[in-house]
Amino acid sequence: QGAVKRQALYACSTCTPPGAEPAGICLACSYECHGTHRLFELYTKRNFRCDCGNSKFKNLQCKLLPEKVKVNSGNKYNDNFYGLYCTCKRPYPDPEDEIPDEMIQCIVCEDWFHGRHLGAVPPESGDFHEMVCQACMKHCHFLWAYASCLAGKEIPPLTKANSLEDAGIVLKAEENEEQKKEIKKESGVEHHDTKEEKQSEQFNEPSTSSGYCCKFLQKFSMEIAETTSEFSFCKLKELQSKPFVKKDTATFWPSNWRSKLCTCEDCLKMYSELEVQFLTDECDTVLAYENKGTSDQETERRDPLMDTLNSMNRVQQVELICEYNDLKTELTDYLRRFADEGTVVKREDIQHFFEEFQSRKRRRTDRMQYYCS
């Protein structure tokens, strides 16, 4: 399938020992091609294509897909492919490490780290969704602006009202009509009398009539929107304008924090340059991957017979159940003979059974007579 968005991976130390080029294999190849080998479980990694049988494997051909490209240039490798993890470059589990400690995966580099080697103590309650290690925080330095208000908190939404206030053109509810006209004039927006205003003056109608207010507010909102269209709303710049502290530690992020990242044109360009475009993709998370697996398993566990029955009326349901029971009884009796004799059931045997079953069914149907009252 090429580079899969996220999948479970393994490294085979039998085929690619330390000193050889790192390589990763998919779950299917771990069973089919490396079943008796020593494997390192890498959990999941993003945008990876299975290496099994390519040029990194000198004496092995993939049984599932023999024709492979020599090298998957889009794959990224680290010490995990040699069974080493964290900044301490130790195996997991580590027979020499007597300190009980959990391993946490960085969602940027996807390496695994001991909690005590992150420079910051993980929240005791485990109340965090994802972690970014120290090295990746240095690489993605812009995250510190978000960490100052997002780590365990909610980032305040940036609205047009906020930016208008910075531009000095936000209206107060108590401002009178002359002040509103003056503000619009300063903003470069000409004020044109509407038909309703002229009618109001002609008939001395109060300017607060419901029709006039709705028209005025609608027109004024459109004018403000046009006036402020030149403003570029960037959450990152808004946060960077406020004081924040950079530390030499890992950071722990709450659920849905990725949706708070700015997606303006400049920020998207920055993500691309840093090769972290995936940060704005909620489907990239391990949680999304696990939820998808759970959903797929529930779909597989659904009984196709019950799904079919639910789509039928009562008479059809009874007929289908009777047919199903007949098939089940006859097939069980047929296969029991093979079990008693200790012989293997071949494809030809199954074909013969269904041919006989269909023949008996046709004979039963032909003998039936239907009467109308």
Side-chain angles (χ1 to χ4, degrees):
Q1 298 179 9
V4 179
K5 191 168 186 178
R6 181 171 291 281
Q7 65 172 318
L9 290 178
Y10 297 80
C12 180
S13 64
T14 304
C15 296
T16 55
E21 291 187 82
I25 59 176
C26 67
L27 177 63
C29 285
S30 73
Y31 291 127
E32 191 71 19
C33 310
H34 305 263
T36 59
H37 296 179
R38 182 168 180 259
L39 303 178
F40 296 124
E41 184 177 2
L42 306 178
Y43 196 43
T44 71
K45 291 188 182 294
R46 68 173 65 88
N47 299 331
F48 199 94
R49 187 177 186 180
C50 180
D51 288 320
C52 180
N54 66 11
S55 62
K56 296 186 175 186
F57 294 80
K58 306 302 181 184
N59 302 312
L60 181 136
Q61 185 180 48
C62 181
K63 297 178 182 179
L64 298 178
L65 190 64
E67 298 298 326
K68 292 277 186 79
V69 294
K70 291 185 177 180
V71 178
N72 293 315
S73 57
N75 289 354
K76 292 185 178 181
Y77 307 91
N78 57 18
D79 288 325
N80 295 173
F81 290 83
Y82 298 116
L84 303 177
Y85 307 90
C86 192
T87 55
C88 59
K89 306 302 179 187
R90 295 294 300 170
Y92 182 84
D94 188 351
E96 299 179 7
D97 186 5
E98 299 180 355
I99 302 176
D101 198 356
E102 64 176 341
M103 298 284 283
I104 307 173
Q105 188 180 33
C106 171
I107 55 96
V108 177
C109 66
E110 298 190 301
D111 194 359
W112 291 82
F113 297 85
H114 295 101
R116 64 184 186 274
H117 293 159
L118 291 171
V121 179
E124 292 184 3
S125 61
D127 188 20
F128 65 94
H129 183 58
E130 293 180 308
M131 182 272 290
V132 180
C133 71
Q134 295 159 281
C136 290
M137 286 301 297
K138 291 180 180 179
H139 177 67
C140 304
H141 51 83
F142 69 92
L143 286 177
W144 283 113
Y146 291 97
S148 62
C149 60
L150 246 187
K153 302 177 182 178
E154 278 294 321
I155 185 172
L158 182 66
T159 62
K160 288 188 176 181
N162 291 344
S163 295
L164 289 174
E165 187 174 9
D166 294 340
I169 55 173
V170 176
L171 298 180
K172 305 293 184 181
E174 64 272 17
E175 287 176 336
N176 58 34
E177 196 67 20
E178 291 299 322
Q179 288 175 314
K180 294 178 183 178
K181 293 179 182 178
E182 186 64 22
I183 289 175
K184 287 193 289 180
K185 183 177 179 181
E186 293 175 356
S187 303
V189 180
E190 293 183 6
H191 179 71
H192 300 283
D193 291 336
T194 63
K195 183 177 180 180
E196 287 78 6
E197 287 179 291
K198 292 181 180 179
Q199 290 177 343
S200 176
E201 292 176 2
Q202 182 177 354
F203 297 100
N204 295 323
E205 292 178 357
S207 60
T208 55
S209 64
S210 60
Y212 171 75
C213 282
C214 291
K215 291 290 185 180
F216 174 80
L217 291 175
Q218 181 181 12
K219 182 174 183 295
F220 185 73
S221 298
M222 293 175 62
E223 290 174 343
I224 288 295
E226 292 174 359
T227 305
T228 58
S229 61
E230 61 189 83
F231 289 93
S232 176
F233 298 102
C234 177
K235 296 179 183 178
L236 179 59
K237 291 181 180 178
E238 175 76 9
L239 293 173
Q240 288 176 334
S241 65
K242 301 174 182 178
F244 63 90
V245 179
K246 290 185 180 181
K247 302 177 182 178
D248 185 22
T249 66
T251 51
F252 303 90
W253 302 83
S255 178
N256 297 326
W257 72 276
R258 296 191 186 205
S259 63
K260 311 298 183 181
L261 298 179
C262 183
T263 55
C264 72
E265 185 177 348
D266 290 340
C267 286
L268 291 177
K269 182 180 178 181
M270 176 184 63
Y271 302 150
S272 179
E273 292 173 349
L274 295 174
E275 298 183 343
V276 292
Q277 303 97 314
F278 53 83
L279 286 179
T280 59
D281 183 5
E282 291 286 349
C283 295
D284 172 78
T285 65
V286 174
L287 179 61
Y289 172 82
E290 292 175 342
N291 289 340
K292 182 179 182 300
T294 302
S295 176
D296 292 343
Q297 289 176 2
E298 290 176 353
T299 301
E300 292 175 359
R301 285 197 295 265
R302 292 176 61 183
D303 189 342
L305 177 61
M306 295 306 300
D307 289 343
T308 304
L309 284 173
N310 291 333
S311 65
M312 295 179 171
N313 60 40
R314 181 67 176 174
V315 175
Q316 291 173 324
Q317 288 177 347
V318 173
E319 290 178 348
L320 178 59
I321 291 173
C322 291
E323 292 288 343
Y324 174 79
N325 287 331
D326 288 342
L327 172 61
K328 181 180 179 180
T329 301
E330 294 191 30
L331 182 58
T332 301
D333 294 339
Y334 180 74
L335 294 176
R336 185 176 290 113
R337 299 203 304 267
F338 291 88
D340 294 340
E341 297 172 3
T343 56
V344 176
V345 181
K346 299 179 181 179
R347 179 176 180 175
E348 296 78 14
D349 299 322
I350 298 299
Q351 289 178 335
H352 175 72
F353 167 79
F354 278 103
E355 289 172 359
E356 289 292 321
F357 181 78
Q358 290 293 342
S359 177
R360 291 192 296 272
K361 181 179 178 181
R362 282 194 295 270
R363 288 197 297 269
R364 290 197 303 269
T365 305
D366 293 341
R367 289 197 299 269
M368 289 182 181
Q369 297 182 11
Y370 296 91
Y371 298 93
C372 295
S373 58

